[in-house]
Amino acid sequence: MASVTEENYLKALFILVTERGMATISDLSKLLKVSLPTANSMIKNLKKQELVNYEKYKPLSLTEKGRREAALVLRKHRLTEMFLVNEMGFGWEEVHEIAEQIEHINSPIFFDRMDKLMGHPTIDPHGSPIPDKDGHIAEEVYEQLSNCRTGEKVRLIALAHSASDFLRYLNNRDLSLGVEMRIVSIEAYDGSMVVSYDNHPAETLTHPVCEKLRVEKVD
Amino acid sequence: MASVTEENYLKALFILVTERGMATISDLSKLLKVSLPTANSMIKNLKKQELVNYEKYKPLSLTEKGRREAALVLRKHRLTEMFLVNEMGFGWEEVHEIAEQIEHINSPIFFDRMDKLMGHPTIDPHGSPIPDKDGHIAEEVYEQLSNCRTGEKVRLIALAHSASDFLRYLNNRDLSLGVEMRIVSIEAYDGSMVVSYDNHPAETLTHPVCEKLRVEKVD
DNA sequence: TAATTTTGTTAGAATAATCTAACTCCATAC
DNA sequence: GTATGGAGTTAGATTATTCTAACAAAATTA
Ligand SMILES: [Mn+2]
Ligand SMILES: [Mn+2]
Ligand SMILES: [Mn+2]
Ligand SMILES: [Mn+2]
């Protein structure tokens, strides 16, 4: 079975490939905060275990076996985050660090129980899909708020990033998943948007923020 | 901060000293299933960190610092076991293996939340005391069922050992903490006891079992 | 194209945790 | 009191994960 370190590499690779379509050794080394030679040697190790496809100087990908293992770690991570929020009362900005550790617990009954207690959730507190027990994961087909137009009404359904400082920024504006907002105006110069929702008649969101908000159209 | 391995050694040492009054390197090596040289070299490491007192060929003890660290790991272990039983619906025979892993999670807020959700429990599902946040632990002053006499009525309040096969044995006889039983008779030959409780008018318990049941007198 | 920067690789070393083999110390049984 | 067996120690090796230094390949910029 994969070690904690190996699990972290597999999960990182899975996320990189999902988000950017590909991954390199230097992507991995930055994400995991290890040196390039460290990532390089771990990749050789994972290749030997037939978990990643790798040829010198070529981009990386997961084998089917590796993809499945990675998805199951991601499942444990996201189930845990949802459990911490729904069953233990944590805020969505508090759960990532804890889940980063609990995702490595080896106990099928523990995660099955979480899953059952919550009624088999399909998304985590940040709107990301939870892979199923076979390692299958729903595709994220959401639109970015930054691609919407003035006058449209949209519902916030997921976040593209979930660093706690960003989550606290959203907390400060009462923005949470499910909030429906109308796009009041878009500043042509820098792409910032003014949106209205609930008790916030005119909240200005910068372009980088709007890119991180995943929405679906309402009406 | 102590590694997972170091935490396991400290906790093992704490338990050995609590149960038997002392600990040796070979006790540790047996309990942790490592070779003697492995335990020996880890003890040197812990001594260097001033977590254990150790002189060549002498028995081991924890320093105040080491005792505190060990108690805090034990706190995480027992809080987790209680959480798994009370909040997640696990049986007392299922929780040890999971807690053995979760006890190494580094997240004060996580364990504080558990503690708060359960209303600050003082014992774990097996009746063992939960150390407080300062690492203080209540003494276990319970009597063994095997030391009680015919006719006495006692309440089961703790277990001296909690291996899952033993716990399943108790489950099969509807024995759980809080059950009040009367000692019907004691077999002089082998010390086995016949006890009656609830819907069990005459359950025979062998001496080794009776030694593992901690009780308090009722009436 | 040539120069420069970024990325990737290899070599070599360190640390933590483990092992086996060989030896020594010590309690106690004769 | 010595012999012996268990406990403890040392030496030396292994595996996993990490690093820095030096160099090579690829990509980008000029
Ligand atoms: Mn992790
Ligand atoms: Mn998440
Ligand atoms: Mn443990
Ligand atoms: Mn317990």
Side-chain angles (χ1 to χ4, degrees), chain B residues 42 61 63 71 93 97-98 114 178 193 200 211 215:
Chain B
M42 179 54 72
S61 66
T63 63
E93 77 284 3
E97 288 68 24
I98 304 175
M114 270 191 191
M193 287 173 144
H200 295 254
E211 280 184 307
V215 300

mmCIF file of all heavy atoms in Angstrom, chain B residues 42 61 63 71 93 97-98 114 178 193 200 211 215:
data_model
loop_
_atom_site.group_PDB
_atom_site.id
_atom_site.type_symbol
_atom_site.label_atom_id
_atom_site.label_comp_id
_atom_site.label_asym_id
_atom_site.label_seq_id
_atom_site.Cartn_x
_atom_site.Cartn_y
_atom_site.Cartn_z
ATOM 1 N N MET B 42 15.976 3.826 19.809
ATOM 2 C CA MET B 42 14.947 4.861 19.969
ATOM 3 C C MET B 42 14.988 5.459 21.372
ATOM 4 O O MET B 42 14.809 6.657 21.556
ATOM 5 C CB MET B 42 13.562 4.290 19.664
ATOM 6 C CG MET B 42 12.431 5.291 19.818
ATOM 7 S SD MET B 42 12.622 6.839 18.888
ATOM 8 C CE MET B 42 12.333 6.258 17.227
ATOM 9 N N SER B 61 12.105 5.242 32.576
ATOM 10 C CA SER B 61 10.967 6.043 33.047
ATOM 11 C C SER B 61 10.849 7.289 32.180
ATOM 12 O O SER B 61 11.780 7.668 31.475
ATOM 13 C CB SER B 61 11.131 6.410 34.516
ATOM 14 O OG SER B 61 12.239 7.265 34.682
ATOM 15 N N THR B 63 10.453 11.316 31.661
ATOM 16 C CA THR B 63 10.672 12.594 32.349
ATOM 17 C C THR B 63 9.322 13.297 32.444
ATOM 18 O O THR B 63 8.340 12.866 31.842
ATOM 19 C CB THR B 63 11.613 13.504 31.532
ATOM 20 O OG1 THR B 63 10.980 13.793 30.289
ATOM 21 C CG2 THR B 63 12.944 12.833 31.278
ATOM 22 N N ALA B 71 0.892 11.559 27.752
ATOM 23 C CA ALA B 71 -0.495 11.691 28.215
ATOM 24 C C ALA B 71 -1.343 12.408 27.176
ATOM 25 O O ALA B 71 -2.527 12.098 27.011
ATOM 26 C CB ALA B 71 -0.529 12.432 29.550
ATOM 27 N N GLU B 93 -15.616 -2.440 20.211
ATOM 28 C CA GLU B 93 -14.611 -3.388 19.713
ATOM 29 C C GLU B 93 -14.009 -2.937 18.384
ATOM 30 O O GLU B 93 -13.054 -3.531 17.910
ATOM 31 C CB GLU B 93 -15.232 -4.784 19.554
ATOM 32 C CG GLU B 93 -16.123 -4.986 18.337
ATOM 33 C CD GLU B 93 -17.500 -4.348 18.462
ATOM 34 O OE1 GLU B 93 -17.772 -3.679 19.494
ATOM 35 O OE2 GLU B 93 -18.300 -4.483 17.525
ATOM 36 N N GLU B 97 -8.207 0.364 16.595
ATOM 37 C CA GLU B 97 -7.320 0.451 15.438
ATOM 38 C C GLU B 97 -7.409 1.823 14.767
ATOM 39 O O GLU B 97 -6.414 2.374 14.300
ATOM 40 C CB GLU B 97 -7.645 -0.636 14.407
ATOM 41 C CG GLU B 97 -7.237 -2.050 14.827
ATOM 42 C CD GLU B 97 -8.058 -2.595 15.995
ATOM 43 O OE1 GLU B 97 -9.206 -2.131 16.212
ATOM 44 O OE2 GLU B 97 -7.538 -3.460 16.729
ATOM 45 N N ILE B 98 -8.612 2.344 14.716
ATOM 46 C CA ILE B 98 -8.778 3.671 14.104
ATOM 47 C C ILE B 98 -8.128 4.735 14.988
ATOM 48 O O ILE B 98 -7.374 5.589 14.499
ATOM 49 C CB ILE B 98 -10.279 3.994 13.894
ATOM 50 C CG1 ILE B 98 -10.953 2.894 13.055
ATOM 51 C CG2 ILE B 98 -10.430 5.344 13.205
ATOM 52 C CD1 ILE B 98 -12.462 3.071 12.898
ATOM 53 N N MET B 114 -13.987 17.730 19.176
ATOM 54 C CA MET B 114 -14.488 16.421 19.631
ATOM 55 C C MET B 114 -14.892 16.497 21.082
ATOM 56 O O MET B 114 -15.974 16.084 21.477
ATOM 57 C CB MET B 114 -13.337 15.393 19.581
ATOM 58 C CG MET B 114 -13.190 14.647 18.316
ATOM 59 S SD MET B 114 -11.994 13.313 18.678
ATOM 60 C CE MET B 114 -11.704 12.779 17.007
ATOM 61 N N GLY B 178 -21.510 -0.271 33.020
ATOM 62 C CA GLY B 178 -22.739 0.140 33.703
ATOM 63 C C GLY B 178 -23.602 -1.038 34.140
ATOM 64 O O GLY B 178 -24.453 -0.879 35.006
ATOM 65 N N MET B 193 -16.367 -17.557 38.029
ATOM 66 C CA MET B 193 -17.493 -16.988 38.771
ATOM 67 C C MET B 193 -18.782 -17.155 37.976
ATOM 68 O O MET B 193 -18.780 -17.048 36.756
ATOM 69 C CB MET B 193 -17.260 -15.502 38.980
ATOM 70 C CG MET B 193 -16.172 -15.196 40.017
ATOM 71 S SD MET B 193 -15.833 -13.414 40.032
ATOM 72 C CE MET B 193 -15.531 -13.166 41.779
ATOM 73 N N HIS B 200 -29.585 -12.315 32.098
ATOM 74 C CA HIS B 200 -28.624 -13.415 32.213
ATOM 75 C C HIS B 200 -28.598 -13.898 33.654
ATOM 76 O O HIS B 200 -27.828 -13.377 34.464
ATOM 77 C CB HIS B 200 -27.233 -12.945 31.772
ATOM 78 C CG HIS B 200 -27.165 -12.576 30.324
ATOM 79 N ND1 HIS B 200 -26.548 -13.354 29.383
ATOM 80 C CD2 HIS B 200 -27.681 -11.516 29.663
ATOM 81 C CE1 HIS B 200 -26.650 -12.788 28.192
ATOM 82 N NE2 HIS B 200 -27.342 -11.655 28.331
ATOM 83 N N GLU B 211 -10.544 -11.154 35.984
ATOM 84 C CA GLU B 211 -9.421 -10.254 36.284
ATOM 85 C C GLU B 211 -9.428 -9.009 35.407
ATOM 86 O O GLU B 211 -8.859 -7.986 35.756
ATOM 87 C CB GLU B 211 -8.095 -10.994 36.049
ATOM 88 C CG GLU B 211 -7.684 -11.899 37.177
ATOM 89 C CD GLU B 211 -6.312 -12.493 36.892
ATOM 90 O OE1 GLU B 211 -6.145 -13.076 35.793
ATOM 91 O OE2 GLU B 211 -5.428 -12.370 37.751
ATOM 92 N N VAL B 215 -14.682 -3.260 38.534
ATOM 93 C CA VAL B 215 -16.032 -3.002 39.043
ATOM 94 C C VAL B 215 -16.010 -2.086 40.267
ATOM 95 O O VAL B 215 -14.960 -1.862 40.879
ATOM 96 C CB VAL B 215 -16.711 -4.327 39.444
ATOM 97 C CG1 VAL B 215 -16.826 -5.265 38.249
ATOM 98 C CG2 VAL B 215 -15.947 -5.005 40.580
#
